Amino acid sequence: MPSLTRRQFVTRVARFGGAAAFAAMFGLELLARDRGGFKLEGRAPRGRGRRVLVLGGGPAGLATAYQLRKLGYDCSLLEARQRPGGRNWTVRGGTAETELGLPAQRCGFDAGQFFNAGAMRFSHHHRTALDYCREFGLELVPFPQFNEAAFVHVDGQPPRRIREFSADWRGHVGELLAKVIRRDALDVPLTAEDGEKLIAYLRAEGRLDASLTYPRNGDTSLDPTYLDHPRGYTVGPGNDDGPGTPTAPESLEKLLRAGYGTLHPYDHELNEQSTMLTPSGGMDRLAHAFAERLGPALLYGREVREIRRTADGGVRVVHTDAAAGGDAQTAFADFCVVTLPPHLTARLQTDFAAPTLAALRKGRGEHAGKIALQFKRRFWEEDDDIYGGRSLTTQPISQIYYPFDGFGARGKAVVIGAYHMSDPQGIFSELTLPERERLALEQGAKLHPQYPAEFDNAFSVEWHRVRYSEGAWIAWDNPADYDVMQRTLSEPDGPCYFAGDWLSPITGWQAGAFVSAHRTCARLHARATAL
Amino acid sequence: MPSLTRRQFVTRVARFGGAAAFAAMFGLELLARDRGGFKLEGRAPRGRGRRVLVLGGGPAGLATAYQLRKLGYDCSLLEARQRPGGRNWTVRGGTAETELGLPAQRCGFDAGQFFNAGAMRFSHHHRTALDYCREFGLELVPFPQFNEAAFVHVDGQPPRRIREFSADWRGHVGELLAKVIRRDALDVPLTAEDGEKLIAYLRAEGRLDASLTYPRNGDTSLDPTYLDHPRGYTVGPGNDDGPGTPTAPESLEKLLRAGYGTLHPYDHELNEQSTMLTPSGGMDRLAHAFAERLGPALLYGREVREIRRTADGGVRVVHTDAAAGGDAQTAFADFCVVTLPPHLTARLQTDFAAPTLAALRKGRGEHAGKIALQFKRRFWEEDDDIYGGRSLTTQPISQIYYPFDGFGARGKAVVIGAYHMSDPQGIFSELTLPERERLALEQGAKLHPQYPAEFDNAFSVEWHRVRYSEGAWIAWDNPADYDVMQRTLSEPDGPCYFAGDWLSPITGWQAGAFVSAHRTCARLHARATAL
């Protein structure tokens, strides 16, 4: 779950507890620690052919079925779609999708082009996810999340490079604080010597001159034999046979009043710190790697309708052929692991206990979406020096993500022309398909005037309208709801267990799904082998 | 030229001029601007077979010969080595090199492993370099220069993650300034409203709590439903079935006194801002792409001995077979472009004018070097979550660069175990080959205790000992020397022109070599076509 949502969310909720409170809340004994939170590999495969039904073939369901089979269970996975992965979904030329209430959409990308419509990158510290890539031999490439050359755009003003604002913030903040320290106006326990060390640091970080001023003419290079202005140039070094023309800073007042502070990408969220990674060729390589290993245990087109307990303590699941609308079938098992989105599980016919049902209803599917735009050439690279990463704008499109691969190639390429989050007003998520495309092109053109001439075709995904997901991730209206969901659904309801990124401390990331899946496998296995 | 040198240099020189002074210094008319500073492509190919000798097959010489041939010149390039590229040099298994005064070294890397011993990356705004890659169809991949997970190490203390210190600096600096503003102690023209906006920015950037304090317990997550501590965790979220244990900040005093401020990688040098790029498979792909296009016009093993004027205004170059020590040969041409390192050109037998010779002697070859270490596995990825980028240490090895590709792969990989600069004390550059290896292993093990168990073999390059380079780049003892070199060698000495990164505002980067080469081509062409 990226930062914009989080920020918007934070404005609505009070600060809540700390790490210790959270740990106490779970009230669980500490299990053996490993790279995925739970040590599964060392466990004896004593599943002894007990039957487990896993419902939902997203990352949590895929990992659950994969691990339980390793542990010796007779495990089947029921997936409603005709593909594995859930919100791990890579769209390519020919991909078809019909969102709820909208006409069918068919992707017109050229061969080799793709769009990670859901999950698109891993954090470098998301070990569960990266270990699966290693185990399956997937090639990982860097995903350049943060790009100093990309734009920050406040609607109504020209787009600016991220580096311009990051240099200005460092300069202005450093100047203010350095001058205060030098004047000894600081009511903090800093010795004079430490104060001077801090000034030296602020000078270097902010490129302040000897008078501790951030040079207003932009001349911030430290070395005359190696010109280097962190804020960038209007004319680059060597052009015009000269050393280049540095850009001039914005005043602090202008930065503050224009609202750049709220868009500034330096929020340093741990999950988005460099280096981020992604599978070469599309995120769905990971989903398909699981699917290959599951083989016929993964059943496609099976839409779950009922989850019922049986008299012998097992579980009965009624499912239908989603595509053909065929007759309902019934499957029996000793255990069931439900990895469907909780708000969709709550709608099924079940005999879950009342607290379970209440907990399932605590989360809602977030309105977030992306639109992919295929362009005829890589003008963001060729004209604007932008290689990967994202631009930010106050417009509803929110973010533009540039391709993370194929740098310098000629020919067509796909940009994510909008990645908006938390859209309760429906600015984007209630539009028709042509309206989405028009809005993305209009708003994107304010950052990239090349849009109209270079546009080729589009494919959009609004996740709250995507059947079987109905949300980009789970959001909670207050921390208490989150608390109830985590606490309640971490326990099984009879033979039924739950797993998903929404049931982990890493919501909205595949690593969360894997952590949750591993925990559920460990607990199910502990119970089954104690029987 | 990276930042450590620049910083050390800056301590020795006074602040010098500005962009305008520099432009005036060159005193050149503005030529047509293009992506390389000089518009060569539109010019009529009116070289009419005039003969040009280009001396030196590094990036400047390769680009000069390539462009002049396009302009219709009969151009040959004399290169002393048996390979193109100069300091663009990729070492692979079997590569042999004998440094001045040292025994031969032969690289023992496994197949597929390589080491960019000189140039290893492009800035995203180095358009000349990237345009050549595009023109030659080279695949470019991101070079993750900056990695929050990599280490900062002050000798005598344990290594810490870069993110720990960046979070602490933001937190402490933000707290100090926010509290001062709130107390209205700031003698700056900020309105109360602007002050509150700045406080809001500092709060977000520094993760300050409601009392504007950087939480000393490390509990800096903004959202209880999405735990996120920018400083990182000792136990990750999901491990131990809990939300993770955030690391606790260092005090400001400790940060200042331990000297982390001087190592802190946030100096934001423009040339090292993200996104950086590199050719897939090795930097020498670019050198070889030029060489393929030059074909037989590029002569290897030709060591230049004399550069003389001829009576008809042309030039005579005496060169020998460097490898075989064969007889001297003489080549005649209308013009000559010298791209050899200036301090080596000064040693040749020439009849350059006294100011030219004096200018050539103004620069010296920098003592800088790297050592590549092949390890048996990628422990920095598997154990430490470090994917690309660099760690910094106060030890003489200075920097450790992790591989920029093959992420998540099993098996061997090559780390740059030292990239030190400005080594006048000879800590590294005066060692024997085994001593270099031992020093790199000893010092690197303080950051990565896996070194002894995983080490396989090494290959080191100290550029001031590399024949035909005798320096990693050109350095100047003061700005006046730089000034004289630029001013004097930008003009031809009779039929002889000069080009090189050292004759550009982008010293130590291939883009500087290309900018200089393009300028020289434009000026030579203007003169030749006016004849």
Side-chain angles (χ1 to χ4, degrees), chain B residues 17 186 357:
Chain B
L186 207 56
L357 281 169

Side-chain angles (χ1 to χ4, degrees), chain A residues 117-271:
Chain A
M120 62 179 174
R121 64 227 148 110
F122 304 118
S123 301
H124 60 266
H125 46 87
H126 285 175
R127 287 189 166 187
T128 46
L130 297 173
D131 277 353
Y132 276 125
C133 292
R134 258 188 279 267
E135 183 171 343
F136 300 154
L138 298 179
E139 186 191 355
L140 291 167
V141 296
F143 183 100
Q145 170 73 16
F146 177 67
N147 183 344
E148 293 263 16
F151 294 123
V152 176
H153 175 247
V154 169
D155 200 12
Q157 304 199 20
R160 305 297 178 93
R161 305 274 185 184
I162 287 175
R163 68 165 126 264
E164 299 176 16
F165 291 106
S166 38
D168 286 352
W169 284 115
R170 292 191 304 267
H172 289 303
V173 165
E175 175 179 331
L176 286 176
L177 185 56
K179 287 184 172 174
V180 166
I181 297 171
R182 183 60 60 77
R183 283 202 315 266
D184 203 5
L186 208 56
D187 183 23
V188 290
L190 269 188
T191 65
E193 196 183 348
D194 286 347
E196 285 305 315
K197 283 180 178 158
L198 182 52
I199 287 173
Y201 172 76
L202 294 169
R203 251 196 96 176
E205 165 116 329
R207 298 290 180 111
L208 312 183
D209 67 17
S211 73
L212 305 185
T213 300
Y214 179 50
R216 300 297 192 265
N217 65 355
D219 180 18
T220 59
S221 190
L222 296 174
D223 179 351
T225 73
Y226 182 68
L227 295 173
D228 157 44
H229 301 86
R231 204 181 186 283
Y233 293 84
T234 53
V235 178
N239 282 359
D240 292 344
D241 211 3
T245 308
T247 58
E250 296 279 12
S251 71
L252 180 57
E253 288 72 14
K254 187 161 177 186
L255 283 185
L256 292 169
R257 291 175 191 178
Y260 286 110
T262 57
L263 260 182
H264 194 251
Y266 279 92
D267 78 338
H268 307 282
E269 178 180 320
L270 181 63
N271 285 319

